Amino acid sequence: MGYHVYILQSETTGRYYCGQTNGIEERVRKHNDPAYRGTRTTKVFEGPWNLLWKEEYNCRGDAMRMERAIKKRGIARFLKERSESGGC
């Protein structure tokens, strides 16, 4: 099982969230579960949260580096550049 970097977007606010995990389906479910408190950012801002993008990596270190790079660049800018280059 690999590690995924993923981007979510709130249906109600349009806000983005970027994270990494080794269980993407379960993680997205937790972001949308109002009883689960381990996802602070997606509880502070209204959802529901939809998965927009994901990419798999062989090791957690690579996934963490990509997550940091996306956040440093800006999630919206990252998605825009990916769609312009045909990578989304």
Side-chain angles (χ1 to χ4, degrees), residues 6-74:
Y6 62 95
I7 296 175
L8 304 177
Q9 185 175 30
S10 167
E11 272 184 31
T12 52
T13 66
R15 185 178 188 89
Y16 295 108
Y17 176 85
C18 180
Q20 56 83 26
T21 185
N22 65 345
I24 189 74
E25 292 85 11
E26 181 181 346
R27 190 70 178 128
V28 172
R29 228 180 350 267
K30 286 180 179 179
H31 280 293
N32 284 302
D33 181 355
Y36 184 75
R37 291 292 166 209
T39 53
R40 184 187 141 328
T41 301
T42 53
K43 297 302 181 265
V44 171
F45 300 100
E46 287 186 57
W49 294 87
N50 296 315
L51 183 64
L52 290 185
W53 175 87
K54 67 178 177 177
E55 192 165 278
E56 189 170 3
Y57 294 86
N58 290 326
C59 70
R60 186 169 185 217
D62 290 344
M64 292 174 75
R65 279 187 283 283
M66 183 61 166
E67 177 189 9
R68 277 193 306 270
I70 292 170
K71 289 178 176 178
K72 183 176 181 179
R73 183 76 179 138

